[in-house]
Amino acid sequence: MRIIPFLNSFSPVLFSLVKQSNRLSSQHQNLRYFYYVLMDLEQRKIYLRRCKYCERKPRILKPELTENVSRYASLHYLSKPPKDEKNKVPKIAMGKPKKRDKRKRREKMSGTAETSEVWMKGPPRQPPNYFLAIQITEEEIKQNIKMIQNILLEKEEKLSSAMVEVASLHLTLGVYYLEDGWDVLQITRALDKFHKQLMVAEFVPPRLTVSALGHFRHKVLFASLAENEGLEKLNSLVNDVRTFLKENDVFPTDERYTPHITITKMSKDTPKLRKLGVRRIEPSHYEEKMSTHFGEQVVRGIQLCSMDKPKSDSGYYHVEHEIKFSV
């Protein structure tokens, strides 16, 4: 019969014969699921060590199977098996292949450790410095958001540094990292092309209904949008513009998108708030105003705003480029 050894040369065994013995479960069809075999050449017995999957106790294989096994094993198993039954099983790792050290391998390929480390980690991820936004211009929405902020300050004055300026209220459509002026020019040209397509298709700007409050892990409090036709059109617009930008090699730094208008966020001044003992925005501060109707906003355009450049005199972000819709 043909001898099929285990993965290790230390304890070869007749896999085909063992399989014929009908003493192994279906999990053992993969050789890596076996433990090693102890071969007692003196007593001409072969012991199957306990399997970690079926917890099978060691068994002696059929006597007629030991002839070919012992002949093959004598070529590899030079030392005699121990007499102590407890110490018969050698303490050797399982037959699973060892994981290769990818770092050493890449060092050999690249030549130096420094270049290989950079190749493993890849280029560092840059934080966003620009974002696409829809500016909130309706006074009714601004006044109601200011009212919510005043209620929060009455119950927690320490949150004053976490309040978002009413003049800078907006709805974020996507965040981007633009390295230089060429990247800015590339995205502005893409936005202009997208704008022309909308005009040809006689695009009608959606009307958004701002109602109810929401939060992100009690770290950000925001005004959410009502689920209606206006929100569906907005989601379609955002998907179209982001897809068009990707086709023009402009990719966002974060694929997540949740339409909201931020009212308060802890990240504006996290160190100061932690020193003051403020860990989150307590729901009890605003639970009475959860269903507040803030008003309606017509999407008048899409703006490319800078996070780093100084804000304008009005208090809004520096607008690098804007496409306007006819309302």
Side-chain angles (χ1 to χ4, degrees):
M1 297 183 179
R2 182 182 178 185
I3 297 177
I4 303 179
F6 268 63
L7 296 179
N8 60 315
S9 61
F10 171 74
S11 55
V13 70
L14 294 176
F15 177 72
S16 60
L17 298 179
V18 173
K19 188 175 180 181
Q20 292 175 8
S21 66
N22 297 324
R23 293 186 179 181
L24 302 178
S25 59
S26 59
Q27 294 98 327
H28 296 121
Q29 303 305 318
N30 189 338
L31 292 178
R32 294 185 181 181
Y33 290 160
F34 275 108
Y35 269 47
Y36 293 93
V37 171
L38 177 66
M39 289 158 288
D40 190 340
L41 299 182
E42 294 179 352
Q43 300 182 7
R44 300 177 64 82
K45 293 180 181 179
I46 302 176
Y47 296 90
L48 180 64
R49 188 178 175 184
R50 178 177 299 187
C51 173
K52 73 171 185 176
Y53 289 93
C54 64
E55 297 297 329
R56 184 185 296 278
K57 295 182 179 180
R59 291 186 178 182
I60 301 176
L61 299 182
K62 294 180 180 180
E64 58 269 20
L65 302 180
T66 62
E67 183 68 26
N68 293 330
V69 175
S70 59
R71 185 184 303 112
Y72 185 84
S74 61
L75 300 176
H76 301 82
Y77 189 54
L78 303 179
S79 61
K80 293 184 179 180
K83 294 182 180 180
D84 188 3
E85 292 288 333
K86 296 182 179 179
N87 299 325
K88 277 189 174 183
V89 179
K91 296 181 179 180
I92 300 179
M94 293 177 60
K96 293 184 178 181
K98 294 182 179 180
K99 294 183 178 179
R100 298 181 179 179
D101 193 338
K102 296 182 179 180
R103 182 170 182 175
K104 292 182 178 179
R105 183 181 179 185
R106 286 167 180 163
E107 285 179 6
K108 293 180 180 179
M109 296 174 62
S110 58
T112 60
E114 295 180 358
T115 55
S116 63
E117 186 176 356
V118 173
W119 187 72
M120 287 176 63
K121 294 182 179 180
R125 183 177 179 181
Q126 298 290 346
N129 55 358
Y130 284 86
F131 64 97
L132 293 180
I134 296 175
Q135 185 178 5
I136 302 301
T137 57
E138 295 297 331
E139 289 298 327
E140 181 184 3
I141 298 177
K142 292 182 178 181
Q143 292 176 3
N144 288 325
I145 288 179
K146 187 63 177 178
M147 176 194 66
I148 297 296
Q149 292 179 342
N150 293 334
I151 293 176
L152 291 175
L153 292 176
E154 289 178 0
K155 298 184 178 181
E156 189 76 65
E157 294 182 359
K158 300 176 182 179
L159 288 172
S160 58
S161 59
M163 298 297 168
V164 175
E165 296 80 2
V166 176
S168 63
L169 293 176
H170 64 279
L171 195 152
T172 304
L173 308 184
V175 291
Y176 297 84
Y177 172 72
L178 305 179
E179 186 175 2
D180 48 29
W182 171 256
D183 291 343
V184 175
L185 180 61
Q186 185 178 12
I187 191 173
T188 55
R189 288 178 176 177
L191 288 174
D192 289 338
K193 292 179 183 178
F194 178 74
H195 187 213
K196 291 180 180 179
Q197 289 187 3
L198 293 180
M199 295 301 99
V200 172
E202 298 181 354
F203 173 74
V204 178
R207 178 179 292 272
L208 309 176
T209 303
V210 185
S211 62
L213 292 173
H215 65 86
F216 296 135
R217 299 180 180 180
H218 301 289
K219 303 293 184 181
V220 177
L221 180 67
F222 59 85
S224 59
L225 304 182
E227 296 183 0
N228 51 24
E229 184 180 357
L231 180 59
E232 293 179 0
K233 290 183 178 180
L234 174 66
N235 293 336
S236 178
L237 174 65
V238 173
N239 181 65
D240 292 343
V241 67
R242 292 175 64 154
T243 301
F244 190 85
L245 292 178
K246 289 179 182 179
E247 293 175 353
N248 287 267
D249 299 328
V250 181
F251 299 91
T253 58
D254 194 342
E255 292 289 347
R256 293 176 296 180
Y257 163 69
T258 303
H260 66 280
I261 303 172
T262 304
I263 299 175
T264 306
K265 59 179 179 180
M266 301 281 290
S267 60
K268 280 182 63 67
D269 199 355
T270 302
K272 180 180 178 181
L273 293 172
R274 287 183 176 178
K275 288 182 180 179
L276 296 175
V278 181
R279 299 293 178 179
R280 67 174 195 165
I281 305 171
E282 295 296 335
S284 58
H285 296 345
Y286 57 85
E287 58 184 2
E288 297 179 356
K289 299 293 183 179
M290 285 295 296
S291 58
T292 301
H293 178 77
F294 292 89
E296 294 185 351
Q297 173 70 51
V298 178
V299 179
R300 301 180 181 276
I302 297 178
Q303 301 168 333
L304 176 63
C305 301
S306 173
M307 298 181 182
D308 301 332
K309 295 182 179 181
K311 293 184 178 181
S312 62
D313 296 337
S314 63
Y316 192 69
Y317 293 91
H318 173 78
V319 179
E320 197 73 39
H321 188 67
E322 180 178 8
I323 57 175
K324 297 182 179 181
F325 305 141
S326 56
V327 180

